[in-house]
Amino acid sequence: MTIDNFLSYLQQILTMVDKNDEESVSQALNALVSVGKLVEYSGKADLMTRCSIQYAIDIFDSLAEEAEDYAGKPGASVINVQRRKRLKMAICPCL
């Protein structure tokens, strides 16, 4: 998994999550944790991607709170790219 693939996946999760629904946040976090475990098990991601996944897990509650800042919008590819860049700065600011 590349960092760009992960950012796209994370954006999709944040697009679906309802920050006001505890179950929704929990399910989204579970999906993220599962992907993190799979990435670690498979060894098919570089160190920066693995660290970014772990950091996203660690701060997921705040990401979910601000999900509207990162969520994708159907048909708005330019906006979605900008939001993924913002998301990238939130989880891996040194990139």
Side-chain angles (χ1 to χ4, degrees), residues 8 10 13 15 20 28-29 31-32 38-40 45 51 54 56 64 69-71 74 77 79-80 82 85 94:
S8 178
L10 183 55
I13 289 175
T15 300
N20 298 314
L29 179 57
L32 193 56
L38 183 58
V39 164
E40 288 298 322
C51 289
Q54 186 56 54
D69 293 338
Y70 309 117
S77 59
I79 291 170
N80 293 340
Q82 290 171 340
K85 285 181 182 178
C94 43

Side-chain angles (χ1 to χ4, degrees), residues 1 5 28 34 37-38 51 59-60 65 73-74 89 93:
M1 176 175 270
N5 292 135
S34 292
K37 287 180 181 178
L38 183 58
C51 289
I59 66 163
F60 189 75
E65 272 300 312
K73 297 212 178 257
M89 289 303 296

Side-chain angles (χ1 to χ4, degrees), residues 1-2 7 17 19 22-23 27-28 33 35-36 50 61-62 65 67 78-79 91 94:
M1 176 175 270
T2 66
L7 288 168
V17 75
K19 69 180 181 181
E22 199 173 303
E23 181 66 19
Q27 291 297 326
V33 168
V35 166
R50 291 193 323 263
D61 285 340
S62 68
E65 272 300 312
V78 172
I79 291 170
I91 64 168
C94 43

Side-chain angles (χ1 to χ4, degrees), residues 36-49:
K37 287 180 181 178
L38 183 58
V39 164
E40 288 298 322
Y41 179 76
S42 72
K44 300 206 175 185
D46 61 26
L47 179 61
M48 185 56 68
T49 302

